[in-house]
Amino acid sequence: MAKVKKTTKNRFFRFIKWFWILFVTGLFAGGLIFLLASWGAFGDMPEYEYLENPETNLATEFISSDGETLGKLYLDDNRTPVDFKDLPKNLVDALVATEDARFYDHAGIDARGFLRALVYLGKKGGASTISQQLARQLFVGVRSRNKVEAITQKIKEWVLATRLERQYTKEEIIAMYFNIYDFGNNADGIRSASRIYFGKEPQELRVEESAMLVGMFKNSSLYNPRPSRNPVGTRNRRNVVLAQMAKYGYIEDQLKDSLQKLPLNLNYNPESHREGLATYFRMYMQRWLNSWVKENPKLDGEKYNIYQDGLKIYTTIDSRMQKNAEDAVEAHMSKLQAEFFVQNTLERNPTTPFLDLEDFEIDNIMERAIKTSDRWRVLKSQGKSDSEIKTSFNKKTEMIVFDWNSDSFEKDTIMTPMDSIRYYKTFLRTAMMSMEPQTGHVKAWIGGVDYKHFQYDNVKQGARQAGSTFKPFVYAAAIDQLRYSPCDSLPDYQYCIEPLKHGNVEEWCPKNSDGKYSGNNRTLKNALANSINTVTARLIDQVGPGSVVSFAKNMGITREIPPVPSIALGTVDVNVYEMVGAYGTFANQGVYVKPVMVTRIEDKNGTVLYEYVPETRDVLSKDVAYTMVNLMEGVTQHGSGARLRHSFAKEQTVYKEIMTGYPYELTNPIAGKTGTTQNQSDGWFMGMVPNLVTGVWVGGEERSTHFKSLRYGQAASMALPIWALYMKANYANEELGISKGAFEKPEDLSINVDCTKIVEEMKQDLDTEDDLEGLDF
């Protein structure tokens, strides 16, 4: 019996001996493995300096003047990091409860979790901590299917996890983990995911929304909540996260049960370069940034990468005003386009969408469009011959095209590429820019009706004839040089400038738009309000075209302007960007301020790289500038822009079909000018209140794409409604601070602007709707 006890005791001591031998050996082996891994025996390891600042691709972010994200620039990673303080508690709780319940108790490796995974072969959960998962995301990469490589990867994760724990706080590790993860659908990092899936910033996430996003950490490709992917599986996974939160006491069981019954309630907002707010402006800024980084390198001489370096671009755009502008364009252009389609059916116009063109002229337009298309460029780069490429333009193919009548503004169809070119040329285009004249800050920018399908930016890239919106430059020169008053008058009968004068080869005898002449004297205020060409011709003859060109140049028109009399009627091509800047001179008491889009640029660490310096110059005296404003107030009070204030014959067809939102009945002081070019190819409206100048242009891509008559094709029908809808929406939001007051009048004004006697004369011009046609040339 004693011998048995002794044998048992010896076995016990032998067991203890070997336990400690194996334990110490294991510790030694583990330490050796850690040491070898840190030396790079299992593959290169990042340097400590890299651990201090791990490189991740960060998108450039465009931020509005009211603090909203307008959009981002990125190639692969749409990532904008957030600090731990910007993460809601429920989001952090959901992560810890689901991925690493003992996160706050370990130093990178969870021994209990590792033993559990080892004993149960992973059936009761894995052993990876949040720190290890972060290490894999940052430095190791996708888990190898080769078992040996997978083991070495795991060892490297352990080493890096412990390093991360020494280098960063727990809060910093959690923030890094949320910022690094790819949630799918261009949602890189928690901020993009929150905005894309729920249309809000992370700190605004509700418990169930946080649970869904944390659930996606398991596999964002599998647990994708979009209706076309896996919403059921994603909801089930979200409910698992909610259950974990209840298990560890982060939420009550009763709340868990109620939240698990909720649908996902996605508010899907894709963030892409062709969608979202201010798309045309963002693409202009992309070009601007490409130029800026060339001239402003880093300290080491390298160029900033606008897609990966996480620059923050603080813009002047106001997201609320931009939204108002986009809504106004959509509301009016959809109705205007519908009427344009009615008038340009094949039955009414066999050459639709073109007017007044011969077949060979249409063929030339189409040929030019083919050779400037993306399809031609791509096939040409593939070595295709011209004949092969042209043949491909006549083969029917499936495509998605723009359509105002669809909720998504797109429709699936089958047509030839040639037919699609013609189809797109039937659409009217638009441009709109809004600016604060005192600072030059651009508040809204719209380059077209839909960037995804019409990528040409008509604000800056495009230039079209200005029509009567150019006349204020002529009037400004006359008032400045000849000291004319709005109350001074000139005769309204056809006026000719003789040959060889002002650079003319032949005699120039412009007609009034309606071909009629009153034969009476008209005050300058009446003449500008009703766009009387004969009076404008007399004025440019008196001051000379060179003086008008000089004024226009000083007010920001950079395009070449020939010093000939015909420029008085707006034959020169200009763009909306320069016209808004120029009109801002009138509203800003004669001081030109160059339009500004960016106030500052910061790098990812918040270091300021750029701050703008205003570019200004004195062009007009305060007296002349105020007089011009007074003249243009006459346009909206009694002239071609009077639809803003007064109601005319609402039963008229034109109002029902295209005058969106009419009557506007804006009663505050407004100065403005309409402009319609020959054959109704272009419609302009320049509108001003004391602290906001806005320009709108509407027309076809081709000048031969236009309305047949002035009833629909004049500026007051095409462009003015967009301005009116935009301003009404701005006034509805008092936080925007858009002025309803009068323009500031200079003390001791030296020019007489009190022309009360002409009011009745002007009103006589507005008796019927027919009288309004032709007044805005």
Side-chain angles (χ1 to χ4, degrees):
M1 190 71 177
K3 189 175 181 180
V4 173
K5 287 183 178 180
K6 186 176 181 180
T7 303
T8 303
K9 188 175 182 180
N10 289 338
R11 288 176 179 174
F12 174 75
F13 281 115
R14 193 179 299 118
F15 171 79
I16 295 297
K17 175 184 175 182
W18 281 107
F19 171 82
W20 283 108
I21 291 172
L22 292 173
F23 181 76
V24 172
T25 303
L27 286 178
F28 178 78
L32 181 62
I33 289 172
F34 261 66
L35 187 61
L36 290 173
S38 63
W39 288 345
F42 303 121
D44 293 336
M45 297 287 281
E47 300 292 335
Y48 274 98
E49 292 79 5
Y50 188 73
L51 283 173
E52 291 176 1
N53 188 23
E55 292 183 7
T56 55
N57 293 335
L58 304 178
T60 287
E61 183 178 12
F62 296 116
I63 303 170
S64 71
S65 61
D66 55 318
E68 298 295 323
T69 297
L70 294 172
K72 301 176 187 178
L73 279 179
Y74 59 90
L75 292 179
D76 299 313
D77 296 334
N78 176 24
R79 180 177 291 104
T80 304
V82 295
D83 295 329
F84 181 82
K85 63 181 176 58
D86 297 318
L87 300 175
K89 185 177 184 301
N90 62 58
L91 183 68
V92 176
D93 292 344
L95 176 67
V96 173
T98 307
E99 297 292 330
D100 190 355
R102 285 178 292 279
F103 173 70
Y104 294 106
D105 300 325
H106 62 67
I109 300 174
D110 181 8
R112 287 173 56 186
F114 174 72
L115 290 173
R116 182 195 64 224
L118 197 63
V119 171
Y120 293 101
L121 301 178
K123 294 179 180 180
K124 291 192 176 184
S128 287
T129 64
I130 291 174
S131 304
Q132 288 174 237
Q133 293 179 49
L134 176 60
R136 181 166 68 248
Q137 292 277 345
L138 284 173
F139 310 114
V140 179
V142 179
R143 178 79 71 233
S144 173
R145 294 185 178 182
N146 181 287
K147 290 185 178 180
V148 175
E149 290 181 358
I151 291 172
T152 59
Q153 283 181 328
K154 192 68 177 178
I155 295 170
K156 289 169 69 175
E157 286 173 22
W158 287 344
V159 175
L160 291 171
T162 58
R163 286 187 182 180
L164 288 171
E165 289 276 350
R166 291 197 301 269
Q167 192 74 39
Y168 298 99
T169 66
K170 292 287 187 179
E171 290 76 14
E172 289 172 330
I173 288 173
I174 284 179
M176 291 171 69
Y177 188 57
F178 274 116
N179 286 325
I180 196 65
Y181 192 72
D182 178 2
F183 290 86
N185 298 309
N186 290 326
D188 299 297
I190 189 62
R191 184 158 186 257
S192 293
S194 179
R195 288 169 54 85
I196 288 174
Y197 291 118
F198 296 110
K200 59 178 67 174
E201 294 297 328
Q203 58 264 42
E204 300 170 327
L205 289 170
R206 300 166 64 88
V207 175
E208 67 274 16
E209 295 166 343
S210 293
M212 189 205 85
L213 293 175
V214 167
M216 294 177 71
F217 278 119
K218 189 172 181 67
N219 186 334
S220 60
S221 297
L222 175 61
Y223 298 110
N224 189 317
R226 293 182 62 188
S228 60
R229 302 297 294 275
N230 186 16
V232 175
T234 305
R235 183 171 179 267
N236 292 338
R237 177 62 187 165
R238 178 204 67 180
N239 290 348
V240 170
V241 175
L242 291 170
Q244 288 293 104
M245 294 179 73
K247 175 182 176 181
Y248 290 102
Y250 292 111
I251 60 175
E252 299 292 333
D253 285 334
Q254 185 177 358
L255 177 59
K256 176 205 72 174
D257 294 338
S258 63
L259 293 179
Q260 286 181 332
K261 296 175 183 177
L262 294 176
L264 291 178
N265 289 327
L266 286 188
N267 179 16
Y268 187 62
N269 296 275
E271 288 187 352
S272 73
H273 304 312
R274 296 188 177 190
E275 296 175 293
L277 201 63
T279 45
Y280 288 93
F281 174 77
R282 283 154 41 200
M283 290 303 101
Y284 166 74
M285 286 307 308
Q286 180 181 10
R287 297 190 296 272
W288 185 89
L289 277 174
N290 278 324
S291 298
W292 182 83
V293 297
K294 290 179 182 178
E295 300 172 3
N296 298 272
K298 300 178 183 178
L299 293 177
D300 60 6
E302 290 188 13
K303 285 199 313 182
Y304 285 98
N305 188 316
I306 66 173
Y307 303 102
Q308 298 179 351
D309 283 348
L311 300 177
K312 290 187 182 294
I313 316 299
Y314 291 88
T315 76
T316 60
I317 296 292
D318 187 296
S319 66
R320 299 159 297 182
M321 296 173 71
Q322 178 70 28
K323 181 66 164 56
N324 291 342
E326 293 185 10
D327 288 346
V329 165
E330 178 185 327
H332 179 63
M333 291 302 293
S334 58
K335 287 187 70 173
L336 186 69
Q337 186 68 52
E339 180 56 33
F340 187 77
F341 281 146
V342 169
Q343 295 187 28
N344 281 273
T345 61
L346 285 172
E347 293 75 19
R348 294 187 179 189
N349 172 23
T351 62
T352 186
F354 311 106
L355 290 170
D356 316 315
L357 294 186
E358 301 292 336
D359 287 343
F360 78 91
E361 294 174 301
I362 296 174
D363 290 341
N364 289 338
I365 289 174
M366 299 299 289
E367 179 76 10
R368 185 173 66 248
I370 288 173
K371 292 189 175 181
T372 56
S373 68
D374 288 339
R375 184 183 186 86
W376 180 278
R377 177 180 53 80
V378 170
L379 293 178
K380 198 71 176 174
S381 68
Q382 295 174 357
K384 303 289 186 182
S385 67
D386 288 4
S387 60
E388 287 177 308
I389 298 174
K390 287 183 178 179
T391 299
S392 74
F393 273 84
N394 291 299
K395 292 181 179 178
K396 288 190 174 183
T397 183
E398 294 182 356
M399 62 180 69
I400 299 173
V401 297
F402 181 76
D403 180 20
W404 275 119
N405 296 319
S406 168
D407 290 339
S408 63
F409 300 135
E410 291 183 328
K411 69 177 180 180
D412 296 321
T413 188
I414 298 176
M415 64 172 69
T416 68
M418 180 71 82
D419 286 340
S420 73
I421 290 175
R422 197 178 188 107
Y423 172 76
Y424 276 111
K425 286 189 181 295
T426 64
F427 284 92
L428 297 171
R429 315 298 171 89
T430 190
M432 178 181 181
M433 191 178 103
S434 194
M435 183 191 80
E436 186 176 75
Q438 290 76 24
T439 61
H441 288 191
V442 174
K443 295 298 182 182
W445 176 305
I446 297 178
V449 293
D450 184 276
Y451 183 80
K452 194 172 182 180
H453 293 274
F454 305 94
Q455 293 175 26
Y456 190 77
D457 178 16
N458 291 289
V459 169
K460 198 82 162 56
Q461 290 179 299
R464 295 294 281 264
Q465 286 187 340
S468 289
T469 58
F470 196 83
K471 288 178 180 176
F473 302 126
V474 180
Y475 278 71
I479 291 170
D480 181 74
Q481 296 182 13
L482 306 176
R483 306 308 291 175
Y484 270 129
S485 157
C487 309
D488 289 329
S489 60
L490 293 172
D492 174 23
Y493 54 81
Q494 191 165 23
Y495 183 80
C496 294
I497 298 179
E498 61 267 28
L500 305 180
K501 187 178 182 181
H502 303 312
N504 266 7
V505 176
E506 299 178 351
E507 183 179 59
W508 186 59
C509 304
K511 299 178 180 179
N512 286 337
S513 59
D514 59 1
K516 299 176 183 179
Y517 311 93
S518 68
N520 301 320
N521 281 358
R522 285 183 180 265
T523 63
L524 295 193
K525 194 160 190 176
N526 179 286
L528 185 63
N530 296 313
S531 264
I532 304 302
N533 290 342
T534 58
V535 173
T536 310
R538 289 177 183 275
L539 292 175
I540 199 168
D541 188 23
Q542 292 177 21
V543 299
S547 294
V548 175
V549 171
S550 178
F551 269 97
K553 292 285 187 183
N554 285 332
M555 295 170 72
I557 306 299
T558 62
R559 291 180 175 272
E560 189 63 32
I561 305 175
V564 295
S566 61
I567 64 172
L569 306 187
T571 56
V572 62
D573 283 354
V574 294
N575 62 33
V576 172
Y577 171 86
E578 292 186 347
M579 285 294 279
V580 171
Y583 270 67
T585 308
F586 297 130
N588 192 33
Q589 299 184 312
V591 179
Y592 169 78
V593 182
K594 186 176 181 179
V596 176
M597 282 73 73
V598 177
T599 56
R600 76 180 188 277
I601 299 175
E602 295 179 358
D603 67 11
K604 63 182 179 181
N605 299 315
T607 303
V608 176
L609 306 176
Y610 164 86
E611 284 189 290
Y612 90 104
V613 177
E615 295 183 39
T616 68
R617 57 177 171 267
D618 293 336
V619 180
L620 303 170
S621 70
K622 290 183 179 180
D623 287 7
V624 173
Y626 180 79
T627 301
M628 285 305 305
V629 167
N630 181 269
L631 277 169
M632 287 187 277
E633 283 186 284
V635 174
T636 65
Q637 290 167 342
H638 312 292
S640 53
R643 286 184 177 90
L644 292 170
R645 301 182 179 281
H646 310 298
S647 297
F648 302 108
K650 284 186 283 185
E651 70 277 3
Q652 290 287 332
T653 303
V654 66
Y655 295 101
K656 295 178 181 178
E657 292 174 345
I658 65 170
M659 295 294 282
T660 314
Y662 187 82
Y664 308 115
E665 297 178 335
L666 295 170
T667 59
N668 56 288
I670 299 168
K673 189 70 191 81
T674 54
T676 309
T677 61
Q678 190 174 15
N679 293 330
Q680 304 81 244
S681 292
D682 307 276
W684 290 79
F685 183 71
M686 304 297 300
M688 299 185 289
V689 296
N691 64 352
L692 196 67
V693 176
T694 305
V696 182
W697 167 85
V698 174
E701 181 183 22
E702 307 289 338
R703 296 179 195 270
S704 53
T705 302
H706 58 81
F707 282 103
K708 224 171 197 180
S709 72
L710 272 173
R711 179 175 293 273
Y712 295 97
Q714 62 178 304
S717 300
M718 289 205 297
L720 180 144
I722 293 175
W723 188 91
L725 292 170
Y726 169 64
M727 291 302 291
K728 288 187 76 171
N730 286 342
Y731 283 131
N733 185 350
E734 294 184 358
E735 291 183 1
L736 296 176
I738 307 302
S739 173
K740 290 185 178 180
F743 290 88
E744 184 178 350
K745 184 177 181 179
E747 295 182 8
D748 303 320
L749 181 65
S750 62
I751 302 173
N752 177 34
V753 296
D754 184 9
C755 308
T756 53
K757 293 181 180 180
I758 70 168
V759 172
E760 291 304 318
E761 172 193 348
M762 286 184 170
K763 286 183 176 178
Q764 291 174 4
D765 294 324
L766 302 175
D767 286 343
T768 67
E769 168 63 16
D770 290 335
D771 289 332
L772 285 173
E773 290 197 4
L775 293 181
D776 58 339
F777 274 69

